[in-house]
Amino acid sequence: YGWIQFAFTTARYRAQPPGAHGMEPVVLRGTFAMREGLMVGPPLQLEGPTLWNDIGWPHYSGAMTYHAAFSLPEVSAGRLLLVCDEVCETMEVRLNGALAGLRLWPPYRLDLTPHARAGENHLSITVTNTLSNLLTRPLPSGLGPGVRILVIAE
């Protein structure tokens, strides 16, 4: 066993000699920390939904959560439908802390109505990709542009 020091947090890892497991060693770059048993990076301030390749993480395999807030003057009689045009690969959506749903493939649409409230609402979209970016070749990953909430009259 060995130890890696990340700021004030220590993570335990089991190491084998390079090549003993058939893979090259993983190199960790940047600022990371441990939270709830997971290695996490610092929050990024993005102008909008952005694919990981566009922020310099083409070889990252794992999950990233995008956060946004929006206000509703009142909860209308209609339905609120989240539509995401580009999700690479899966998404888990939470609104105001409640699980709104999971989507493993297109169409990436979810009904947010049961969890919406008048005033400020907090939306979280966690996107998880495959191991392809780490093990073979980088593929587009993350949440791309074209995220919107449609109000559908009933």
Side-chain angles (χ1 to χ4, degrees):
Y1 289 100
W3 296 92
I4 300 175
Q5 186 72 34
F6 298 104
F8 299 104
T9 307
T10 304
R12 191 172 187 175
Y13 73 97
R14 188 181 315 212
Q16 296 178 341
H21 45 67
M23 293 175 41
E24 293 297 318
V26 175
V27 177
L28 301 175
R29 293 188 179 114
T31 305
F32 295 92
M34 296 295 289
R35 184 171 49 231
E36 298 174 12
L38 300 172
M39 188 170 66
V40 296
L44 300 171
Q45 296 298 319
L46 303 173
E47 294 295 319
T50 308
L51 294 176
W52 305 345
N53 307 53
D54 297 336
I55 58 172
W57 293 13
H59 298 283
Y60 176 69
S61 289
M64 184 181 293
T65 303
Y66 299 78
H67 301 276
F70 63 94
S71 292
L72 293 173
E74 60 184 35
V75 178
S76 66
R79 313 279 308 155
L80 296 177
L81 182 66
L82 173 69
V83 178
C84 300
D85 290 341
E86 187 176 9
V87 177
C88 306
E89 294 292 325
T90 68
M91 75 175 188
E92 174 185 301
V93 177
R94 293 185 176 275
L95 184 61
N96 300 319
L99 180 63
L102 302 165
R103 290 295 177 264
L104 304 179
W105 52 77
Y108 294 102
R109 298 178 183 155
L110 283 169
D111 186 359
L112 300 178
T113 310
H115 310 293
R117 59 182 177 221
E120 187 164 273
N121 289 267
H122 298 275
L123 178 68
S124 297
I125 302 173
T126 300
V127 177
T128 305
N129 68 350
T130 68
L131 286 173
S132 177
N133 293 27
L134 178 64
L135 300 178
T136 59
R137 60 185 165 82
L139 298 172
S141 296
L143 183 63
V147 177
R148 59 202 176 279
I149 297 174
L150 303 177
V151 179
I152 301 173
E154 290 191 326

